[in-house]
Amino acid sequence: MKNRIMLLIVLTVAIMSACKNEKKMDNPFFAEYSTPFQVPPFDLIDTSHYMPAFTEGIKQHDAEIASITANADEPTFENTILPFDKSGKVLKRVSKVFFNITEAHTNDQLQKIAEKVSPILSKHNDDIAMNAKLFARIKAIFDKRAGLKLDAQQLRVVEKYYRDFERQGANLPKEQQDQLRKINEDLSMLNLKFGDNLLAETNKNFKLVIESNADLDGLPDDVVSAASEAAEKAGLKGKWVFTLAKPSLIPFLQYSKKRELREKIYRGYFMRGNNGNVNDNKTILSDIVRLRAEKAKLLGYENIAAYIIDENMAKTPAAVDAFLNKLMVAALPVAKAELAEMQKIADAEGAKYKLQSWDWWYYSEKLRKQKYDLDENELKPYFSLENVRNGMFAVAGKLYGITFTKVTNLPVYQKDVETFEVKEADGSHLGVLYLDYYPRAEKRGGAWCTDFQSAGWENDKKVDPVISMVCNFTPPTGNVPALLNWDETSTLFHEFGHALHGLFTQGKYNRTAGNVPQDYVELPSQVMENWAGEPEVLKMYAKHYKTGEVIPDKLIEKIVNSGLFNQGFVTVEYLAASILDLDYHKLAVPAKVDPIAFEKASMAKAGLIDEILPRYRSTYFAHIFSGGYAAGYYVYIWAAVLDADAFDYFKQSGNIFNPELAGKFRKYCLAESGDDEGMIQYKKFRGQEPSLDPLLIRRGLK
Ligand SMILES: [Zn+2]
C-alpha cells in the first residue's frame, strides 16, 4: 500500500514535469533512447523533431564548452580534455540519425533541413576551432603533458586535440588567422565552381548524337535501347544519344565498331574542363593549387602535400612518391604487354592502325572474351543475397567467434531494412547491425557503412555500437530471390569489413577510438574481399539458390582468373592520377601553373605511355579539386598493399582462419586501431612493415 502511494506521487510529479516540458519530452533526441540496445526510435522520430534538436544540441554544446572555459582552476585532463571529448552528445545523437537518413531515405523536407542546417553546423564548428580560451587551456595541458602522469591513451588524446587546433591555425597571430580564413573561404568557392563546371561539361556540353543505324554497329541491344531512350528525353526522337556519363560512355567504347566515333566520344570525355568555354577549369585549378600552397606556408609546411600526409600512415610526400613509383615500375610493363596483345588482335582483324587511348576498351573487351570469359549470368544463381550474407557472417564467425541473430523487434527507418544482434563467442552483446540492401528513389547511389551510435565509453561504461550497411543491390524479382553479381558480392564483404571495424572498436576517448588515417580506412574493408573470393570460402557460401549445389570448380577458377584481367591498365591509369595529384600538391608558392604543360611534364616523368591517360586528367580531377582527396588519391592503393599483405599473412600460415592471427588482427588493427599511429598498429599485428609483393602478385604484376 505504501508503495502504491509512493508510486502515485512519483507518477504525478512525472506527469507534471511532462506537461511543463511537453515539447521537449516529445522530441526523442532530447533523452537517451529507451529502445532495446538503445537504437534510434525510428517509429517515434518525426521530421519536425530535427531542427529543434539541432538547435538545442548546439545550445547544449556551446554551454558545455563555455563551462570548460569558465573554469577558474588550472587546466587539467579531467576538467578540460575529458569534458571536451564527451561534449555535444545531443548534437551527435541527432546528427547521426539525420545525416544517415538523408543519405539512405531522404525526401524534399529533409533536403531542405539539410540546406538550412549545414551552414549553421559549419559555423558552430568554426566557432569551436577559433575558440581562443578553449585552445589556451588545451595548449596549457599540452605544454606540460610530460609531467602530468597521463596514461598513453590520455597523452595521445591531448596531442591529437592540440594538433587539430594547431592545424586549423589556432597558434597563428590574428592577422594570419584572418588570411587563413580568407583562403579557406576562397578555396571552398573555387572547389564548388570546379565541380559545377565539371557537371556542366559532363551532362550538358557534349553529347554524341547518332542518326543512322550503321553507326550503331557492334552495340548490344540494351545499349542501343538506352541510347534511344536518352535521345527521346533530349527531344531527339528516332535518333540515339550517348553521353559522357560512365554507363553510357563505357559500353560505347567497349562495343562500337566505329573507331572515329569512339575517338569522338572519348575526346569529349578527356577534354572536359579544357574547352576554353565558360566551364573551363584551368584557371580555377591553378588558383586552387596556389591557394593551397599559400595555406601550407602560413601553417609552416613546405607544401600542402606535406601538411595533409603528415596525418597519414605514409607521413611524408617523399614516402608516397617512392611508393607510387615502385608500383609504376611494376605495372607499366604489364600494361605494355596488354597493349601488345590487343595490337595483335587488331592486326589479325586487319585494322592497319596503331592503337590509341580510345581503342583500349574495345580491344580489351575482345581480349577479355578470349582469355577470361566470365558470364555473370552463369555465376549469379550461386550468389543469392541470403547465401552471400550468411557466408560473410560465417567468415566472421570462423575468424572472430562472433554470431549474428536476426531480430525483428527493433524500429527501422524503412520496412525492408533488416536488423541483427551481434554477440561475442560467450553470448555477450557486442552491437547491432542494420542491413539496407536495395535501391530506392530516396537513396543515393553506391554502397557505404555508417553508424547510428559509435562504440565508446560514457561514465566508465561501454557504449555499444549500432552499425548500418547501406547498398544498392539488384532486388528480387517475382519468385527469384535477389541474385548478386561478383562486384556486388565483393561490395557486401567490403562494407561488412567496415562494419566489423565499427563493431570491434574499443577505446575510451571519442577523439581516438576507431579514428584512423585516410590511408588506413580501407584496410578493414578491403581485407574482407580476400575471403569472399577464396575457393575454400566460396564453397562455404556460393550455393545454387534452387538446388543448393555448391559452385563448381570450373566457375571458381574463372572468378579467380578474372581478377587478373586488364590489371596493368587499371593500375597504371590509377597510379598516373595519383602521381599527378601529388605533383600538384608538392608545389611551393608562388606557383602559377599551366595545367596542360604541368600535366604533360608530370606524366612524362612518371613514364606514362600515350595509349593510357591518367584516370582523371587535371581539368576533371574532381576528387582532388572539389572533393576531399587532395594529396590523397593514393590512399586506395596504399590500403590495398596493406590488405593484400595482411591476407597473405593468413595464407602463409596455412590457415585462412588462423585464430591467433585473427585475434591479433582484431585487437591491433580493428579494436585498437586508433590507439597509435596506423603503421605502428599494423606492425603490432604483422610483426613487420607490409610488403608490396602480395598486391603485385594478386594483380599479376609480378
Ligand atoms: Zn570502403
Side-chain angles (χ1 to χ4, degrees):
M1 191 71 190
K2 210 176 164 194
N3 274 344
R4 279 188 69 177
I5 292 170
M6 279 297 289
L7 193 71
L8 204 69
I9 294 170
V10 172
L11 267 178
T12 318
V13 173
I15 288 165
M16 274 173 59
S17 70
C19 291
K20 222 171 89 194
N21 290 315
E22 196 168 33
K23 267 217 164 118
K24 276 199 171 180
M25 295 303 284
D26 274 355
N27 195 318
F29 295 116
F30 289 144
E32 300 274 356
Y33 302 145
S34 54
T35 45
F37 313 121
Q38 294 197 302
V39 302
F42 292 112
D43 48 343
L44 302 178
I45 295 171
D46 184 80
T47 308
S48 66
H49 293 138
Y50 288 117
M51 213 52 219
F54 276 119
T55 309
E56 176 66 20
I58 288 173
K59 204 174 108 192
Q60 287 190 18
H61 200 194
D62 284 341
E64 286 161 348
I65 288 170
S67 100
I68 296 171
T69 54
N71 194 325
D73 296 345
E74 202 185 327
T76 63
F77 187 88
E78 279 69 28
N79 73 17
T80 300
I81 302 288
L82 193 61
F84 181 53
D85 188 65
K86 303 296 177 195
S87 66
K89 218 174 142 190
V90 171
L91 186 56
K92 208 171 282 166
R93 194 183 293 140
V94 59
S95 298
K96 290 259 180 201
V97 171
F98 179 77
F99 289 107
N100 283 327
I101 297 302
T102 50
E103 301 265 277
H105 202 59
T106 193
N107 58 46
D108 287 350
Q109 277 171 295
L110 292 177
Q111 292 306 116
K112 280 208 186 86
I113 297 174
E115 276 167 36
K116 194 170 155 194
V117 81
S118 294
I120 298 176
L121 288 175
S122 100
K123 183 184 174 294
H124 176 62
N125 289 332
D126 284 350
D127 288 346
I128 296 172
M130 307 279 169
N131 187 323
K133 278 186 187 161
L134 179 61
F135 178 61
R137 291 187 73 90
I138 292 173
K139 187 175 187 320
I141 299 164
F142 176 81
D143 287 343
K144 61 183 181 192
R145 66 194 184 285
L148 290 179
K149 298 204 179 82
L150 300 174
D151 69 26
Q153 279 321 296
Q154 293 171 326
L155 204 56
R156 183 167 168 81
V157 172
V158 170
E159 284 168 2
K160 282 281 169 193
Y161 277 127
Y162 176 76
R163 282 181 55 72
D164 289 345
F165 278 85
E166 189 189 38
R167 286 172 59 83
Q168 292 180 87
N171 252 338
L172 297 179
K174 172 83 174 60
E175 193 186 325
Q176 293 191 353
Q177 278 184 347
D178 291 345
Q179 273 178 25
L180 188 62
R181 206 168 306 149
K182 175 81 173 68
I183 289 176
N184 285 336
E185 270 171 36
D186 290 351
L187 275 173
S188 73
M189 291 308 295
L190 289 165
N191 295 151
L192 271 182
K193 186 82 183 101
F194 187 98
D196 288 349
N197 281 341
L198 181 54
L199 205 65
E201 285 280 89
T202 307
N203 295 345
K204 277 195 352 223
N205 299 354
F206 178 97
K207 52 178 165 297
L208 177 66
V209 182
I210 289 181
E211 310 202 358
S212 83
N213 264 310
D215 283 343
L216 298 169
D217 200 9
L219 300 174
D221 290 346
D222 58 330
V223 174
V224 171
S225 58
S228 159
E229 273 174 37
E232 213 171 316
K233 268 192 197 145
L236 296 163
K237 199 168 186 302
K239 298 178 183 177
W240 297 269
V241 164
F242 290 87
T243 69
L244 302 179
K246 285 273 166 86
S248 182
L249 169 79
I250 299 295
F252 193 89
L253 290 173
Q254 270 174 330
Y255 299 113
S256 171
K257 290 188 180 176
K258 296 284 173 181
R259 187 173 191 236
E260 67 284 1
L261 293 180
R262 292 202 305 266
E263 177 177 353
K264 193 173 173 189
I265 195 167
Y266 196 48
R267 272 189 189 284
Y269 179 77
F270 72 65
M271 289 302 288
R272 286 177 301 160
N274 183 21
N275 289 310
N277 55 16
V278 290
N279 299 119
D280 196 288
N281 267 335
K282 291 196 288 290
T283 308
I284 292 175
L285 83 88
S286 167
D287 286 344
I288 292 175
V289 168
R290 178 179 47 78
L291 285 169
R292 284 179 179 161
E294 280 175 17
K295 173 173 172 170
K297 198 178 169 195
L298 267 177
L299 291 164
Y301 288 82
E302 200 179 340
N303 51 53
I304 199 76
Y307 169 80
I308 290 163
I309 296 171
D310 199 22
E311 289 286 281
N312 287 357
M313 282 178 85
K315 291 286 162 224
T316 65
V320 178
D321 233 349
F323 167 76
L324 293 174
N325 283 314
K326 247 189 244 167
L327 290 171
M328 194 61 143
V329 167
L332 261 176
V334 180
K336 286 177 185 168
E338 287 164 2
L339 181 63
E341 274 188 291
M342 297 193 303
Q343 186 71 53
K344 225 184 268 170
I345 295 176
D347 293 348
E349 291 179 352
K352 294 202 172 47
Y353 50 75
K354 190 176 157 293
L355 299 189
Q356 300 292 338
S357 58
W358 46 86
D359 296 315
W360 199 290
W361 283 264
Y362 183 72
Y363 287 99
S364 69
E365 178 58 21
K366 287 178 184 264
L367 190 62
R368 189 183 71 81
K369 282 229 169 81
Q370 231 179 52
K371 281 181 77 171
Y372 304 100
D373 203 9
L374 178 71
D375 182 356
E376 288 281 4
N377 293 321
E378 210 184 331
L379 276 189
K380 277 174 135 186
Y382 296 93
F383 294 89
S384 74
L385 175 65
E386 196 182 341
N387 283 347
V388 176
R389 184 198 65 209
N390 291 343
M392 75 188 190
F393 286 170
V395 167
K398 288 187 85 151
L399 285 168
Y400 306 117
I402 55 176
T403 61
F404 296 79
T405 314
K406 188 165 170 162
V407 279
T408 49
N409 64 334
L410 300 183
V412 289
Y413 56 88
Q414 200 275 342
K415 63 177 178 38
D416 295 338
V417 175
E418 291 192 321
T419 52
F420 292 84
E421 186 190 359
V422 191
K423 288 185 229 162
E424 293 284 11
D426 65 6
S428 59
H429 180 78
L430 178 63
V432 172
L433 180 63
Y434 281 65
L435 289 172
D436 178 354
Y437 306 110
Y438 307 120
R440 291 186 296 270
E442 301 80 13
K443 194 195 273 190
R444 78 163 166 90
W448 62 96
C449 182
T450 177
D451 65 64
F452 290 112
Q453 170 67 60
S454 343
W457 286 80
E458 191 75 40
N459 303 326
D460 289 327
K461 256 187 75 191
K462 183 153 187 317
V463 178
D464 300 318
V466 178
I467 310 288
S468 172
M469 285 165 60
V470 188
C471 308
N472 276 283
F473 292 151
T474 318
T477 47
N479 49 11
V480 180
L483 300 177
L484 306 188
N485 62 32
W486 181 244
D487 190 49
E488 292 172 324
T489 300
S490 315
T491 300
L492 195 63
F493 271 78
H494 177 107
E495 300 309 333
F496 184 57
H498 287 304
L500 290 174
H501 189 195
L503 285 164
F504 289 150
T505 286
Q506 298 276 344
K508 295 218 153 166
Y509 307 106
N510 291 335
R511 178 60 184 85
T512 49
N515 205 322
V516 296
Q518 216 184 358
D519 50 5
Y520 186 102
V521 173
E522 299 299 334
L523 163 64
S525 51
Q526 288 176 179
V527 78
M528 291 308 292
E529 294 179 47
N530 292 284
W531 273 277
E534 193 62 22
E536 179 185 342
V537 178
L538 282 165
K539 286 183 183 174
M540 273 165 51
Y541 74 88
K543 294 177 181 162
H544 200 286
Y545 78 95
K546 267 191 196 153
T547 63
E549 174 214 4
V550 173
I551 188 168
D553 288 340
K554 186 176 74 53
L555 281 182
I556 292 186
E557 203 181 302
K558 280 189 179 182
I559 294 175
V560 173
N561 284 341
S562 69
L564 298 172
F565 166 66
N566 210 27
Q567 287 299 303
F569 173 83
V570 170
T571 308
V572 164
E573 68 153 9
Y574 169 84
L575 290 171
S578 305
I579 290 169
L580 182 59
D581 164 32
L582 196 64
D583 283 349
Y584 273 120
H585 295 114
K586 283 192 307 190
L587 289 174
V589 242
K592 180 115 187 79
V593 288
D594 166 2
I596 300 309
F598 186 86
E599 178 180 307
K600 204 172 163 204
S602 165
M603 294 298 90
K605 183 194 65 159
L608 189 65
I609 53 176
D610 289 343
E611 293 83 355
I612 300 178
L613 297 180
R615 190 176 169 116
Y616 300 99
R617 296 186 68 203
S618 310
T619 53
Y620 53 90
F621 206 159
H623 282 83
I624 67 168
F625 292 124
S626 66
Y629 280 86
Y633 193 60
Y634 79 91
V635 301
Y636 300 98
I637 204 160
W638 181 277
V641 167
L642 296 174
D643 90 65
D645 183 71
F647 188 67
D648 187 60
Y649 193 26
F650 280 91
K651 284 205 94 161
Q652 296 304 330
S653 81
N655 175 8
I656 57 166
F657 295 110
N658 186 319
E660 189 203 330
L661 299 191
K664 283 206 285 187
F665 190 76
R666 173 174 173 170
K667 180 172 164 59
Y668 299 121
C669 294
L670 301 176
E672 298 173 2
S673 60
D675 277 18
D676 209 327
E677 296 302 287
M679 188 58 87
I680 293 174
Q681 288 305 117
Y682 187 77
K683 278 162 71 180
K684 285 183 196 164
F685 153 68
R686 186 64 179 88
Q688 62 190 51
E689 296 223 346
S691 152
L692 295 188
D693 286 355
L695 179 74
L696 296 179
I697 293 164
R698 185 168 84 189
R699 293 194 179 189
L701 307 178
K702 184 166 180 158

